Amino acid sequence: MSSRLLRPVRADRRTTAPRSAAPLGTRLPLVAVAVVAAGLTAACGPSSQPVGSAAPAKAGQSSEAALPSASESATASPEASASASASPSASASASPSRAATASATPSRTPSKPARTSAAPEPARVPGPGYDSSADAQKQIEAALRAAKADGRAVLLDFGANWCGNCKAADKVFAQPQTTAILGASYRLVKVDIGGNSSANSALLRKYSPSGGTYTMPVLVVVSPSGTVRTDTHVTGNPSLTADGINAFLRKWAS
């Protein structure tokens, strides 16, 4: 009896709709209202997105939309390459100016002292006595040529081997200090006038034209140009000592 009674009940449960289910016509408006409410909330409600963060991509929107298109990247590339190519030229143009500034700036390192030309070697100083066989004219001409080249003066010593004063002067000329002054500042030419050489006597009258009686030695200082600076036949001889002759040589050296 119980099994027969349960079967109709199960059949009734299968075919009978639940009482709480609403009709289809009633459910559709509710769904529409819910969708509209959700849209209004999304449009007008406060955003839960933190300030400064990017908005999430909308559904159905491709992530590639945020990337530049191929045409935009192609357009931007020439500009970027132009700016990149302009950079070397700018740096290259700036380099000469920097180099010019660096070259114009004086160097702080101490400059080396300029090399001075070596002092000329001392001129040869003839030994004591007078050579009667020498060609005095040629010796004087050679001394004047050398004087023009090195700026020294020419000292003409007219004397004789038998002259006591001439021997005294020769002793002073042989002293180291006097020899150094002669070698540095003069070209010394000794002319023998104690013999019968008319040529040497003519040279004496040429460089000491005052005439009269000559007191030997006659010392004549001639400039490189050939001009007579002093003639001891006119002025008188200095003291024939080291102090006297050295003072005379220093005075007329320049």
Side-chain angles (χ1 to χ4, degrees):
M1 289 293 293
S2 59
S3 60
R4 290 180 181 179
L5 292 173
L6 291 174
R7 287 179 182 174
V9 172
R10 293 176 180 173
D12 294 337
R13 289 179 180 176
R14 292 176 183 175
T15 58
T16 305
R19 295 178 181 179
S20 61
L24 180 60
T26 305
R27 289 200 303 268
L28 290 177
L30 293 176
V31 172
V33 171
V35 171
V36 172
L40 291 175
T41 303
C44 302
S47 176
S48 60
Q49 186 74 16
V51 178
S53 61
K58 295 181 180 180
Q61 183 178 1
S62 174
S63 60
E64 297 179 356
L67 300 176
S69 61
S71 60
E72 293 177 353
S73 61
T75 305
S77 298
E79 297 177 357
S81 60
S83 61
S85 61
S87 299
S89 61
S91 60
S93 61
S95 298
S97 62
R98 291 178 181 177
T101 304
S103 62
T105 304
S107 176
R108 295 182 180 180
T109 56
S111 58
K112 295 182 179 180
R115 293 183 178 180
T116 56
S117 58
E121 295 183 359
R124 176 181 172 273
V125 179
Y130 300 87
D131 185 2
S132 58
S133 64
D135 189 338
Q137 176 67 41
K138 289 184 179 180
Q139 289 179 335
I140 294 174
E141 291 175 354
L144 288 172
R145 287 194 300 268
K148 289 181 179 179
D150 57 28
R152 292 182 172 97
V154 176
L155 176 62
L156 304 179
D157 177 3
F158 295 93
N161 290 323
W162 47 261
C163 171
N165 287 341
C166 299
K167 291 178 181 180
D170 281 343
K171 289 181 180 179
V172 177
F173 288 162
Q175 294 181 12
Q177 187 177 9
T178 308
T179 300
I181 298 173
L182 285 171
S185 303
Y186 291 92
R187 298 278 179 176
L188 175 59
V189 179
K190 299 175 72 68
V191 183
D192 181 20
I193 57 173
N196 298 321
S197 174
S198 58
N200 290 353
S201 297
L203 289 173
L204 175 61
R205 291 190 297 270
K206 175 181 178 180
Y207 289 98
S208 181
S210 59
T213 301
Y214 293 90
T215 301
M216 295 184 291
V218 179
L219 302 178
V220 180
V221 178
V222 184
S223 67
S225 62
T227 304
V228 175
R229 291 179 177 174
T230 189
D231 172 14
T232 60
H233 178 60
V234 176
T235 63
N237 280 327
S239 173
L240 298 180
T241 62
D243 292 339
I245 291 181
N246 291 347
F248 171 83
L249 294 176
R250 292 191 182 100
K251 178 180 180 180
W252 298 103
S254 58

